[in-house]
Amino acid sequence: MITKILETDNQTVTTHFILLGFPTQPGFQLLLFFFFLAIYLLTLLENFLIILAIHSDGQLCKPMYFFLSHLSFLELWYVTVISPKMLVDFLNHDKIISFKGCMTQLYFFVTFVCTEYILLAVMAFDRYVAICNPLRYPVIMTNQFCGTLAGGCWFCGLMTAMIKMVFIARLHYCGTPRINHYFCDIAPLLNVSCEDSSQAELVDFFLALMVIAIPLCVVVSSYVIIIMTIIRIPSSHGRRKAFSTCASHLAIVILFYSTTLFTYAHPKLMYTYNSNKVVSLLYTIIVPLLNPIIYCLRNREVKSALKKTILCKYTGPRENGPLSN
């Protein structure tokens, strides 16, 4: 095991952490490696194809698909922050991560999680305008306004992560702490700090309250109004059509918010148990895999765009060949 402890101002400065991950037998570790590698590669492929289809098909130049492309782009990097290190640790006996590497992973993870919270709320607002104010939808959801909303999501995520990191990165850790998780998260890091972390916990709590509670209020209020509007639609076909446009988004919101709230509503000592690691797998690995399927692969417009994007290079030469005339 390679560890380095530097002596600075009579305090030990930790330069490495040990991620406990999922301690199992070596044979099962190899099985987990191939299982999560397949999920990771499939997640990258799905989200990349969604982005490619949306940006190559003019019929998908709509606010809903604009936000979906941002969500897919976000989750490409979201899983890349977590999965590669986790996969390497399945093959290594010493699951070591440097202090800088841990802080970098934590910064980008918090950025993407916070951005997704806000982006899901923006997507709920988009569905609210589309269903409850269909005549004003093109006037309200302009390209400039959609770009501003998307940029605001990323800005809020970056700034929230930066503020949290200012308080977490300056904490002192004794020796080489053993983090009971498969990646660097806030609560496990606070749990292994060897000094009072109450200030960092307080900042983390208030920022989490803002980033989670405010978007959640937007989502809940939007869907309450949407449901009331759908109920008043006279025809059953119209009600089904209106609900189908937001059912996929609602399913992902419930899955993402429920798993993250279960994890982050618990005190930091809950990370001494393995249950939170299993729940964390849902929103760090499984949700990014399911999002393209739930959101898009059952959507006729996206299916058509995907077919055109993938098959155009085969159909194009035939149409322009000598037999086409």
Side-chain angles (χ1 to χ4, degrees), residues 216-227:
L216 184 59
C217 289
V218 173
V219 170
V220 172
S221 58
S222 296
Y223 274 104
V224 167
I225 301 173
I226 287 172
I227 292 172

PDB file of all heavy atoms in Angstrom, residues 216-227:
ATOM      1  N   LEU A 216     -37.741  20.757  -6.239  1.00  0.00           N
ATOM      2  CA  LEU A 216     -38.817  19.824  -5.917  1.00  0.00           C
ATOM      3  C   LEU A 216     -40.160  20.545  -5.825  1.00  0.00           C
ATOM      4  O   LEU A 216     -41.182  20.025  -6.283  1.00  0.00           O
ATOM      5  CB  LEU A 216     -38.506  19.100  -4.603  1.00  0.00           C
ATOM      6  CG  LEU A 216     -39.496  18.011  -4.174  1.00  0.00           C
ATOM      7  CD1 LEU A 216     -39.595  16.919  -5.227  1.00  0.00           C
ATOM      8  CD2 LEU A 216     -39.084  17.423  -2.829  1.00  0.00           C
ATOM      9  N   CYS A 217     -40.156  21.742  -5.241  1.00  0.00           N
ATOM     10  CA  CYS A 217     -41.383  22.533  -5.167  1.00  0.00           C
ATOM     11  C   CYS A 217     -41.875  22.905  -6.569  1.00  0.00           C
ATOM     12  O   CYS A 217     -43.089  22.900  -6.837  1.00  0.00           O
ATOM     13  CB  CYS A 217     -41.156  23.790  -4.337  1.00  0.00           C
ATOM     14  SG  CYS A 217     -40.961  23.484  -2.572  1.00  0.00           S
ATOM     15  N   VAL A 218     -40.931  23.246  -7.455  1.00  0.00           N
ATOM     16  CA  VAL A 218     -41.297  23.574  -8.834  1.00  0.00           C
ATOM     17  C   VAL A 218     -41.910  22.368  -9.528  1.00  0.00           C
ATOM     18  O   VAL A 218     -42.932  22.475 -10.222  1.00  0.00           O
ATOM     19  CB  VAL A 218     -40.059  24.077  -9.620  1.00  0.00           C
ATOM     20  CG1 VAL A 218     -40.392  24.256 -11.094  1.00  0.00           C
ATOM     21  CG2 VAL A 218     -39.557  25.391  -9.035  1.00  0.00           C
ATOM     22  N   VAL A 219     -41.294  21.192  -9.328  1.00  0.00           N
ATOM     23  CA  VAL A 219     -41.790  19.968  -9.957  1.00  0.00           C
ATOM     24  C   VAL A 219     -43.188  19.619  -9.437  1.00  0.00           C
ATOM     25  O   VAL A 219     -44.109  19.340 -10.216  1.00  0.00           O
ATOM     26  CB  VAL A 219     -40.820  18.792  -9.704  1.00  0.00           C
ATOM     27  CG1 VAL A 219     -41.446  17.471 -10.148  1.00  0.00           C
ATOM     28  CG2 VAL A 219     -39.508  19.021 -10.432  1.00  0.00           C
ATOM     29  N   VAL A 220     -43.352  19.646  -8.118  1.00  0.00           N
ATOM     30  CA  VAL A 220     -44.641  19.275  -7.517  1.00  0.00           C
ATOM     31  C   VAL A 220     -45.740  20.242  -7.934  1.00  0.00           C
ATOM     32  O   VAL A 220     -46.833  19.809  -8.349  1.00  0.00           O
ATOM     33  CB  VAL A 220     -44.522  19.218  -5.982  1.00  0.00           C
ATOM     34  CG1 VAL A 220     -45.901  19.039  -5.338  1.00  0.00           C
ATOM     35  CG2 VAL A 220     -43.601  18.091  -5.552  1.00  0.00           C
ATOM     36  N   SER A 221     -45.471  21.538  -7.831  1.00  0.00           N
ATOM     37  CA  SER A 221     -46.491  22.529  -8.204  1.00  0.00           C
ATOM     38  C   SER A 221     -46.831  22.434  -9.692  1.00  0.00           C
ATOM     39  O   SER A 221     -48.008  22.564 -10.081  1.00  0.00           O
ATOM     40  CB  SER A 221     -46.019  23.937  -7.850  1.00  0.00           C
ATOM     41  OG  SER A 221     -44.790  24.245  -8.505  1.00  0.00           O
ATOM     42  N   SER A 222     -45.826  22.200 -10.534  1.00  0.00           N
ATOM     43  CA  SER A 222     -46.069  22.071 -11.975  1.00  0.00           C
ATOM     44  C   SER A 222     -46.983  20.888 -12.272  1.00  0.00           C
ATOM     45  O   SER A 222     -47.950  21.000 -13.039  1.00  0.00           O
ATOM     46  CB  SER A 222     -44.752  21.923 -12.740  1.00  0.00           C
ATOM     47  OG  SER A 222     -43.951  23.073 -12.618  1.00  0.00           O
ATOM     48  N   TYR A 223     -46.702  19.754 -11.641  1.00  0.00           N
ATOM     49  CA  TYR A 223     -47.487  18.563 -11.929  1.00  0.00           C
ATOM     50  C   TYR A 223     -48.872  18.591 -11.284  1.00  0.00           C
ATOM     51  O   TYR A 223     -49.805  17.957 -11.797  1.00  0.00           O
ATOM     52  CB  TYR A 223     -46.716  17.309 -11.532  1.00  0.00           C
ATOM     53  CG  TYR A 223     -45.798  16.852 -12.633  1.00  0.00           C
ATOM     54  CD1 TYR A 223     -44.425  17.064 -12.557  1.00  0.00           C
ATOM     55  CD2 TYR A 223     -46.308  16.241 -13.771  1.00  0.00           C
ATOM     56  CE1 TYR A 223     -43.584  16.668 -13.580  1.00  0.00           C
ATOM     57  CE2 TYR A 223     -45.469  15.843 -14.804  1.00  0.00           C
ATOM     58  CZ  TYR A 223     -44.113  16.063 -14.693  1.00  0.00           C
ATOM     59  OH  TYR A 223     -43.287  15.682 -15.723  1.00  0.00           O
ATOM     60  N   VAL A 224     -49.024  19.286 -10.186  1.00  0.00           N
ATOM     61  CA  VAL A 224     -50.360  19.466  -9.617  1.00  0.00           C
ATOM     62  C   VAL A 224     -51.246  20.229 -10.598  1.00  0.00           C
ATOM     63  O   VAL A 224     -52.396  19.832 -10.870  1.00  0.00           O
ATOM     64  CB  VAL A 224     -50.292  20.203  -8.263  1.00  0.00           C
ATOM     65  CG1 VAL A 224     -51.683  20.670  -7.829  1.00  0.00           C
ATOM     66  CG2 VAL A 224     -49.685  19.310  -7.193  1.00  0.00           C
ATOM     67  N   ILE A 225     -50.708  21.315 -11.164  1.00  0.00           N
ATOM     68  CA  ILE A 225     -51.471  22.098 -12.141  1.00  0.00           C
ATOM     69  C   ILE A 225     -51.692  21.301 -13.424  1.00  0.00           C
ATOM     70  O   ILE A 225     -52.763  21.353 -14.036  1.00  0.00           O
ATOM     71  CB  ILE A 225     -50.753  23.427 -12.438  1.00  0.00           C
ATOM     72  CG1 ILE A 225     -50.592  24.244 -11.154  1.00  0.00           C
ATOM     73  CG2 ILE A 225     -51.523  24.237 -13.471  1.00  0.00           C
ATOM     74  CD1 ILE A 225     -49.752  25.497 -11.314  1.00  0.00           C
ATOM     75  N   ILE A 226     -50.666  20.541 -13.848  1.00  0.00           N
ATOM     76  CA  ILE A 226     -50.791  19.721 -15.059  1.00  0.00           C
ATOM     77  C   ILE A 226     -51.903  18.683 -14.900  1.00  0.00           C
ATOM     78  O   ILE A 226     -52.750  18.503 -15.789  1.00  0.00           O
ATOM     79  CB  ILE A 226     -49.445  19.034 -15.382  1.00  0.00           C
ATOM     80  CG1 ILE A 226     -48.437  20.046 -15.930  1.00  0.00           C
ATOM     81  CG2 ILE A 226     -49.649  17.904 -16.395  1.00  0.00           C
ATOM     82  CD1 ILE A 226     -47.043  19.504 -16.099  1.00  0.00           C
ATOM     83  N   ILE A 227     -51.913  17.987 -13.758  1.00  0.00           N
ATOM     84  CA  ILE A 227     -52.933  16.964 -13.520  1.00  0.00           C
ATOM     85  C   ILE A 227     -54.332  17.581 -13.481  1.00  0.00           C
ATOM     86  O   ILE A 227     -55.288  17.019 -14.052  1.00  0.00           O
ATOM     87  CB  ILE A 227     -52.627  16.205 -12.210  1.00  0.00           C
ATOM     88  CG1 ILE A 227     -51.346  15.375 -12.372  1.00  0.00           C
ATOM     89  CG2 ILE A 227     -53.798  15.304 -11.815  1.00  0.00           C
ATOM     90  CD1 ILE A 227     -50.861  14.737 -11.094  1.00  0.00           C
TER      91      ILE A 227
END
